[in-house]
Amino acid sequence: MSTVVLVHGAAMNGTVWRYQADGLTQAGFTPIAVDLPGHGGSEGEPSSSAKGYAGWLLAYLSLLGEPVHLVGHSMGALVVLEAAAAHPEAIKSVTLIGVSDLMPVNPDLLAGAAVGDLSMFETMGRWMHARDPIGGSAWTVDHTVAILQQVQPDVAYADLTACSSHPGAAAVAASLTVPILLILGEQDVMTKPSAAKPIAAAAEDVATVVVKGAGHLVLVERPDVVNDALVEFLSR
């Protein structure tokens, strides 16, 4: 079946997609979880814009030689939107997880990253999880903080800048004709579900799934629900 390329969020890496990689493989898809430049095992310089990362992603997709489904989380959602808008012929569908039209960053977090102080990332890790989760998650706040603490300060600052400076996801979504799926955490305090409504209103072909008992990291908090929604959408 089709290839699904998964793009992580700010200061994260491809390991956040472990549950989706398993679920997509079992459903017959070929998942590829990329590390953006400067993240995880990927070399290269980070970008301070979603368009910059989208350029890297499109160069990678050109090596695959086939249209793909794109899935992005948080900053990665902005990246896949920009890639799909730049080269729609290379994209079959777009799934946006933990996204909102505008993605402003806490000023203290941005200021700290600018001077290499990532002490607030422990707080950020807690913000990314639901306050009242459903069930016991195999992925804890400690797992999230551990990944955030691996990132280099210049990479963190570039990523947070890419989020805060993006002019708006809704306008980009409005330019697409491919199907779009929004997967949102009901308790997400970083990209609230209500803040994604402009994207849904602007898109031509869009479906929205709001996952109860999940926050910004819905993909690891309630992976079964996310996987079911993703497989159903991609199998259309």
Side-chain angles (χ1 to χ4, degrees):
M1 294 180 73
S2 300
T3 298
V4 184
V5 177
L6 307 151
V7 183
H8 61 80
M12 305 296 279
N13 59 56
T15 61
V16 298
W17 297 109
R18 65 175 67 175
Y19 304 117
Q20 285 66 51
D22 289 345
L24 289 169
T25 299
Q26 292 173 15
F29 293 93
T30 302
I32 300 175
V34 299
D35 286 338
L36 292 171
H39 301 74
S42 182
E43 298 180 352
E45 295 297 318
S47 175
S48 58
S49 73
K51 282 189 176 181
Y53 281 131
W56 177 91
L57 179 61
L58 287 168
Y60 178 82
L61 296 183
S62 69
L63 301 176
L64 300 179
E66 61 172 323
V68 302
H69 299 284
L70 286 181
V71 181
H73 172 249
S74 194
M75 182 190 75
L78 303 179
V79 174
V80 302
L81 270 176
E82 294 290 355
H87 282 282
E89 73 284 352
I91 311 303
K92 290 184 175 181
S93 74
V94 170
T95 298
L96 311 174
I97 303 177
V99 67
S100 57
D101 180 27
L102 298 175
M103 296 180 64
V105 174
N106 179 282
D108 292 337
L109 187 62
L110 192 60
V115 296
D117 178 10
L118 302 183
S119 60
M120 277 197 67
F121 270 36
E122 185 169 349
T123 301
M124 178 178 167
R126 292 195 297 272
W127 290 341
M128 296 173 80
H129 287 260
R131 292 186 299 272
D132 300 303
I134 293 178
S137 175
W139 184 293
T140 67
V141 172
D142 288 343
H143 287 95
T144 301
V145 172
I147 287 183
L148 293 173
Q149 290 177 337
Q150 292 173 16
V151 73
Q152 295 297 313
D154 63 322
V155 176
Y157 181 67
D159 288 359
L160 296 177
T161 301
C163 292
S164 63
S165 65
H166 194 270
V172 185
S175 71
L176 303 183
T177 58
V178 297
I180 297 175
L181 173 64
L182 301 176
I183 301 179
L184 312 170
E186 178 194 32
Q187 299 179 35
D188 189 341
V189 298
M190 299 183 75
T191 52
K192 296 180 179 180
S194 60
K197 289 182 178 179
I199 304 173
E204 178 178 314
D205 179 2
V206 63
T208 301
V209 174
V210 178
V211 182
K212 294 184 180 298
H216 190 60
L217 273 176
V218 55
L219 67 167
V220 298
E221 292 177 292
R222 301 211 64 196
D224 291 346
V225 178
V226 171
N227 290 353
D228 287 347
L230 191 54
V231 169
E232 180 181 356
F233 172 70
L234 298 179
S235 299
R236 280 176 20 181

